[in-house]
């Protein structure tokens, strides 16, 4: 059996006296959409910061395609919890950021992202500044900036957390369609159970801080899922909510 | 927003914003004029605005020559202090311990009373342009340094983390994120410092100079000509306002994204 794309083993992390991650074990297969659900402050963002190298674990292993992850490998395209768009760059130049850092000229990078604007619902807004876009459009721009880097795996930290309920539901269905088309390997952080169920192949539920993996759920349904009135989805959603609300069971 | 409509709109906005200020200043001048005319106070004690204007106009060539000297000192001094503040801000952003070593020294320079330090600087550097440049730099360097250092710190941590995850070097992160994030702070510092700069130059000239509004004011005072003192004060105030306006225009040009909220599609 080929190694997992990402494998985390016995990952521990403390900030001073605060033990944040107690013992994290999880894996992501190539082409798989995996979500991590957990209460606020559990340490979900911390897991992603360990992966991007922003901080290092106290103990445990991080394997990428079977190899230990090194600080300089840059395997991930990361979308931080805020949209992190630069207010002083036009949308097109925000989306090319990763390519520019990789060494592409601004012109070459623009030529690479321009054809994707329509698919991301941003056509005609290339030369706008972030302040001129709605919340949903800003998130799509941030997502476009993430996927054009063509890294082997995407790390998304609550991409729709700041949106109103209606926009969030629209964005989730849009992402479901996009993922079905592109089949990226994704690790998604969220505290929205419905979002996790709608999008994921597998879901890890974390305990409160110090975090460990409390449960793992499979979602064996075809993509893209419609989400509305599907009894299979509703069943899984209820089951996960049950474990989140009664962590002792 | 089309370019052809920009100019009249700007003018309309200027009058909307400046209208109340123009009205209050006019009222002040009219009241002053009326008081001098009705009370019969001596022009060597309090000259009327009309007298200041007439005498100032007669002295226009001298005033222009001295203003030019002050403007020159201000711009040279300010330019050198800006350059120094920018270089130092980068240094302390990359080498944190330097900040703790240097900031106390800089703060001490800000506690020196100008009245005491200006004659000393003239004593050391002579009556030419140099002492003025030094004094202007002294009063503007630290505010600019603090503004820049604060601006770098205001960088969105998500943006830094994002660039870091993309593999950007520290210098790259500085140029792409920290520097643009500091722009609003930089311009706020610039607006304050430019007014200090003019005052600093005049102070240096007042302590002794061949040319400049400061020395002109000193001579007028010694000749019992308060009307010319006030004429020079009026010119220096105008100079400061013009420089202030220039920084505002510069900011608008440098930060086009900050005035887009009203043109949201
Ligand atoms: N750099 C740091 N220094 C000190 N403490 C930190 C640091 N980063 C995170 N923490 C702490 O670790 C804990 C977990 O933070 P984290 O951001 O990972 O939570 P989260 O699960 O992403 O929460 P949320 O859902 O609210 O985003 C918090 O208590 C936080 O205060
Ligand atoms: Mg978080």
């Amino acid at each position: 059996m080929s190694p997992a794309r990402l494998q985390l083993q016995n990952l521990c992390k403390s900030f001073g006296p605060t033990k944040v991650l107690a013992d994290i074990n999880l894996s992501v297969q190539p082409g798989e959409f995996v979500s991590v659900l957990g209460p606020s402050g559990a340490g979900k963002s911390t897991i992603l910061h360990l992966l991007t190298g922003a901080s290092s674990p106290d103990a445990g292993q991080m394997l990428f395609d079977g190899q230990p992850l090194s600080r300089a490998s840059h395997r991930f395209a990361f979308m931080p919890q805020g949209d992190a768009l630069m207010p002083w760059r036009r949308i097109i130049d925000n989306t090319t950021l990763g390519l520019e850092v990789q060494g592409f000229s601004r012109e070459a990078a623009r030529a690479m992202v321009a054809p994707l604007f329509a698919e991301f619902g941003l056509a005609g807004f290339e030369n706008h500044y972030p302040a001129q876009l709605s919340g949903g459009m800003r998130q799509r721009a941030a997502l476009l900036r993430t996927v054009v880097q063509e890294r082997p795996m995407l790390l998304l930290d609550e991409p729709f957390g700041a949106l109103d309920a209606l926009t969030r539901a629209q964005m989730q269905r849009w992402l479901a369609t996009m993922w079905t088309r592109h089949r990226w390997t994704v690790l998604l952080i969220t505290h929205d159970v419905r979002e996790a169920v709608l999008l994921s192949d597998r879901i890890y539920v974390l305990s409160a801080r110090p975090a460990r993996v409390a449960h793992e759920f499979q979602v064996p349904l075809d993509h893209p899922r419609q989400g509305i009135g599907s009894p299979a989805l509703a069943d899984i959603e209820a089951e996960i909510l049950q474990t989140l609300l009664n962590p002792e069971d | 927003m089309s370019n052809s409509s920009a100019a009249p709109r700007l003018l309309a906005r200027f009058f909307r914003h400046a209208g109340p200020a123009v009205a209050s200043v006019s009222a002040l001048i009219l009241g002053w004029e009326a008081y001098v005319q009705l009370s019969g106070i001596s022009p060597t004690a309090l000259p009327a605005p009309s007298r200041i204007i007439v005498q100032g106009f007669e002295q226009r060539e001298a005033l222009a020559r001295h203003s030019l000297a002050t403007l020159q000192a201000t711009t040279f001094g300010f330019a050198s202090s800006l350059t120094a503040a920018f270089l130092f801000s980068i240094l302390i952003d990359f080498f944190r311990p330097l900040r703790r070593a240097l900031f106390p020294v800089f703060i001490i320079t800000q506690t020196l009373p100008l009245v005491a330090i200006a004659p000393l600087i003239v004593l050391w550097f002579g009556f030419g342009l140099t002492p003025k440049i030094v004094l202007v730099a002294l009063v503007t360097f630290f505010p600019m340094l603090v503004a820049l250092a604060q601006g770098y710190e205001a960088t969105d941590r998500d943006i830094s983390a994002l660039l870091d995850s993309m593999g950007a070097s520290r210098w790259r992160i500085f140029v792409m994120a920290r520097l643009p994030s500091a722009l609003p702070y930089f311009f706020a510092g610039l607006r304050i410092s430019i007014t200090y700069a003019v005052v600093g130059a005049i102070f240096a000239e007042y302590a002794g100079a061949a040319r400049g509004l400061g020395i002109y004011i000193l001579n007028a005072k010694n000749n019992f000509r308060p009307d010319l003192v006030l004429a020079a004060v009026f010119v220096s105030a105008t100079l400061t306002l013009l420089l202030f306006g220039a920084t505002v225009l510069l900011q608008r040009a440098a930060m086009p994204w900050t005035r887009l909220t009203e043109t949201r599609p």
Side-chain angles (χ1 to χ4, degrees), chain A residues 15-16 18 20-21 38-47 49 81 157-158 189 191 206 209, chain B residues 157:
Chain A
F15 290 105
T18 321
V20 177
L21 302 180
S40 185
K44 303 182 298 295
S45 296
T46 303
I47 296 177
H49 293 152
Q81 193 159 350
D157 195 349
E158 296 190 27
I189 302 291
H191 51 223
L206 299 187
R209 198 178 63 227
Chain B
R157 287 174 65 188

Side-chain angles (χ1 to χ4, degrees), chain A residues 107-156:
Chain A
E107 275 59 48
R110 280 184 178 178
M112 287 162 78
V113 295
L116 296 168
F117 266 71
E119 198 180 0
F120 278 73
L122 293 166
F125 290 86
E126 289 84 347
N127 290 319
H128 285 61
Y129 286 101
Q132 296 172 292
L133 265 55
S134 71
M137 294 175 87
R138 292 170 62 106
Q139 294 301 321
R140 285 199 296 268
L143 210 58
L144 175 54
R145 176 191 64 201
T146 312
V147 303
V148 291
Q149 297 175 52
E150 303 220 319
R151 301 289 191 193
M153 186 169 169
L154 308 183
L155 305 176
L156 311 179

Side-chain angles (χ1 to χ4, degrees), chain A residues 92-107:
Chain A
I92 182 131
D93 297 324
N94 261 293
T95 57
T96 58
L97 195 67
L99 299 172
E100 277 182 56
V101 171
Q102 284 177 35
F104 289 98
S105 72
R106 206 173 250 214
E107 275 59 48

